[in-house]
Amino acid sequence: MTQPTPLNPALPRFTAGARRRHRGSNERRAGRLLALLVVMLAVRPLGATAITAATVATIQGAVFDSLSGDPVVGASVRLLTAVPDARQAAVMTAADGSFVLDRPETTACTLRVEAFGYRSGLRVLSAAETIGYQAVRIRLQPLPLRMDEVLVQARRETATAQGAAFVESIQLQQDRPPPELAGVLNRAVGVGIRRTGGLGSFSTVSVRGSTAEQVLIYLDGVPLNQALGGGVDLGNLPVSAVERIDVYRGAVPARFGGNSIGGVVHIRTQAADGVPRARIQAMSGSWGTHRLSGILSGARNQRHYLALVELAQSDNDFRFLDDKGTEYNLDDDEWTRRLNSDFRSGRLLARMEHPVGAFRLQVRTGLELNRQGIPSISNNQSLNSRLNRWRASNEAELFGALPWLSDAGVRLNLYHLMQEEEYRDLDGTVGVGRQHDRNRTISWGTRAELNHVTGGGVTTLFGQLGEERFNPENLLRPESWLPQSRRRSAVFGWEVDLPLLSNLLHASAGSQSHVHHDRFYGRSLFGGTDHAPSRDRTDWLHGGRVGARLHLWPRLTVKGHRGWYNRPPSFYELFGDRGAVAGNTRLTSERGDNWDVGFHWIHAVSPARWELEVVYFRNHVRNLIRFLQNAQRISVPQNIGRSKVRGTEMRASLDLPGGLRLETNHTYQIPENFTRASYERGNDLPNAPRHSVATNITWRRSSWEMAYELSHESRHYLDTTNLRTVPARTLHGLQFCLYLGTSTTAALEVRNLTNNQVADLWGYPLPGRSVFGSLSYGLEIGSRQTITP
């Protein structure tokens, strides 16, 4: 094995007098250090190894190639010192070669640097070298390598800075998952969350002023949007198992069908990586909130597995100011508690991955149960309205390189999703009249994708088939108000990404064609009148996108994208509900014309590093679908107009010495309504604030971490006439996390610190000040048994 070579420069020569003075100063320094060491041993408990915040400094530096001067990415920088620091003893260099780690201020130490393809080395540091956080520059000598042929298999990730899309990836801390996903997504730039209450309540997401139905939600590649319509409820999604959330603003990759007006939110749970580990997490907090989860993963006979169990509940009986439905009369306002807003949920998740010849097979299955109350608006709270639902999902994916074509890979995916909802309102306090319905949705789909790599570019061909069935059941009468419906769909498309001008420019393009065949069954209550919808409908949709990414400097990238997308009408819009809403099978799909352009800049001047992204976007949607009421008081959906949303997005982060990190984003948008109705034309679109700001300040040390959060939304409106106003609001939050050794983490979070009384929807208040505490204990049983890239 090659011995490490010293990396520190040669020491200067001293004269005899200088050596005596230097030796005397060393002796005095050594005496002071010895006295300090005796005092520390006297006041600390025997065997204590923790380092306090007062004795921790930060080493910041960068690793470079000694020949080319390029940064070395993924190099291991390990701290060799007599004082143990198990949590940050080693770090990996970032994309610009930089690294940050903690070390004792008054203790000399050595850095060991190792990287694949380079000669390992040692860099001896003295305490004086890091006074004032002096940067450390390390140069590694490259080694010639002789290697056999290596085959690397991995799924091609699309949520990276390498594409033309503007994507924000939110990485969740596995040792302290958040109370809910809606709060995490609300921090992303360009994203808006609307909810009807506290934890577990109905929550939807909007991207760049879109509606909830225009945003596609995926859970590990399985689409959650239903053909029935209404958007996806974020409050009914798992929390503990989520590892990362990718938010696509604008461009939609081919793997998601390449067709979404508002964007895509991809929620990814933890992968079965084969590392034997176990973790137990518990959370408790305000309004009777509790959550308990356990995760177990490992490997056996080249099979990787992961299993998760999660139980959660909350009473959500928070206090709020009830205006009794008289917004302008303050005399009858009183403080009261939210009633019938509780929820109970349980989730199971299992994943397995194992090789199948030259391919790898991933299998995932999940089961979710949820029971909750529906509280209705604040001045007329329901006491007995309940919603029970369950969802079972199964997915299998086979991917790998083709044996007969080394530069091509294939991915086959098959999923099955079944979900059922039972809604009971026997008092008729929430909807119109007494209701007791049980609706079941069954969907399945298969997808094939072929990727071919040539000349540094990637060409993708994909096809998808699917079916969704909606079976309603009215438990109070023989026939349901909603008809049985079925949607069969097929998608075919292509996507290409080509490097040009010596990889300085990457151009991308793609298109897809969709065909949907919708049909409803059963008897129409509209009989043979003009309101009776047709039983069948076939719709062809076409879309495409073009984009480019230009590297102007090593750390400055300019991106641009334009796309044409469609949203087909939902079952509710096509076939109605057999009662007050009539279907309209003559509806045309909503069409979106979206484009954006911006830049992404990373600037690292040791010891600081900052990142900036600025984007201008414009989304134009035609054929908006709206419900209009006729003289018989029957609502009929019609294509009546268009909307335009344009604005800017800014996202920035700054890393400073001492573990301090600042993150902020700001979205400014002008959501204009251009419908044909004169009393709505020129108004703002509903639920689309013009200004939204999210800021996070984090201070992280080796044994603890604290953070401050701020979110702000300007005034916006709930209706198209802009008469119902949601006032501007600013919310503050605090978090504190304590690392108790290498396996235990304790966290405390305070939300809505100033106890502001806010609401997303008129009459549906949100909780005031809330406190949550969590404890996580993890144990890594062993090392990785098999390695899969």
Side-chain angles (χ1 to χ4, degrees), residues 386 388 420-426 434-440 471-482:
R386 307 294 297 180
N388 301 330
E420 182 179 281
E421 296 184 352
E422 181 179 347
Y423 173 66
R424 185 179 72 250
D425 180 19
L426 300 181
R434 300 170 66 244
Q435 300 180 61
H436 191 184
D437 302 319
R438 182 188 295 130
N439 302 326
R440 175 176 293 187
N471 299 310
E473 182 182 2
N474 192 322
L475 302 181
L476 296 180
R477 54 182 62 90
E479 193 168 10
S480 172
W481 289 104
L482 296 172

Side-chain angles (χ1 to χ4, degrees), residues 589-648:
S589 298
E590 294 181 342
R591 294 184 295 136
D593 183 357
N594 306 342
W595 66 269
D596 52 31
V597 61
F599 68 87
H600 185 256
W601 189 10
I602 299 177
H603 187 63
V605 178
S606 187
R609 179 181 184 275
W610 62 281
E611 185 176 352
L612 176 65
E613 182 180 88
V614 179
V615 183
Y616 175 81
F617 66 91
R618 179 174 174 176
N619 300 340
H620 191 187
V621 181
R622 295 177 175 86
N623 299 332
L624 280 175
I625 298 177
R626 291 281 308 279
F627 285 90
L628 303 180
Q629 195 173 63
N630 58 22
Q632 289 78 29
R633 294 188 177 184
I634 295 177
S635 295
V636 181
Q638 301 286 348
N639 296 110
I640 65 170
R642 58 190 178 92
S643 67
K644 183 187 297 182
V645 182
R646 63 184 189 275
T648 59

Side-chain angles (χ1 to χ4, degrees), residues 98 100 175 404 411 533 571 613 655 690:
S98 62
V100 179
D175 56 352
W404 59 88
R411 182 173 63 177
F571 286 164
E613 182 180 88
D655 293 286
R690 295 203 168 198

Side-chain angles (χ1 to χ4, degrees), residues 179-180 196-203 233-236 314 316 341-343 347 370 372-373 389:
E180 58 177 350
T196 60
L199 297 180
S201 63
F202 185 79
S203 307
D233 182 10
L234 298 177
N236 193 33
S314 180
N316 279 328
S341 185
D342 61 290
F343 85 94
R347 295 180 176 90
N370 189 79
Q372 65 185 101
R389 50 189 173 183

Side-chain angles (χ1 to χ4, degrees), residues 355-409:
V356 180
F359 300 90
R360 296 200 66 85
L361 176 64
Q362 293 180 345
V363 179
R364 183 188 68 86
T365 182
L367 177 63
E368 303 171 17
L369 305 174
N370 189 79
R371 298 177 180 272
Q372 65 185 101
I374 306 297
S376 188
I377 60 177
S378 59
N379 64 328
N380 185 28
Q381 298 193 71
S382 64
L383 301 179
N384 301 308
S385 300
R386 307 294 297 180
L387 176 63
N388 301 330
R389 50 189 173 183
W390 61 267
R391 176 169 56 210
S393 59
N394 300 278
E395 180 192 17
E397 185 171 86
L398 183 71
F399 64 94
L402 295 176
W404 59 88
L405 193 59
S406 60
D407 54 357

Side-chain angles (χ1 to χ4, degrees), residues 158-159 163-167 207-208 214-218 246-266 447 460 462 464 491 494-496 508-512 514 543-547 560-566 592 594-596 619:
T158 55
F166 289 97
V167 186
V207 179
R208 290 179 174 176
Q214 294 172 348
V215 180
L216 297 181
I217 308 294
Y218 285 79
D246 298 327
V247 181
Y248 294 81
R249 314 183 317 270
V252 179
R255 64 175 303 187
F256 301 116
N259 193 27
S260 174
I261 293 179
V264 172
V265 176
H266 188 200
R447 175 183 174 83
T460 302
F462 63 91
Q464 180 175 328
V491 183
W494 61 272
E495 186 176 65
V496 62
S508 62
S511 69
Q512 67 281 330
H514 296 234
R545 57 209 169 275
V546 294
H561 156 266
R562 184 171 184 178
W564 300 267
Y565 307 109
N566 300 271
N594 306 342
W595 66 269
D596 52 31
N619 300 340

Side-chain angles (χ1 to χ4, degrees), residues 14 21 50 73 151 185 329 354 397 408 516 570 609 699 714 747:
F14 292 100
R21 291 191 298 272
V73 182
L151 175 63
L185 279 170
N329 181 13
H354 65 92
E397 185 171 86
H516 298 275
S570 65
R609 179 181 184 275
W699 187 16
S714 62

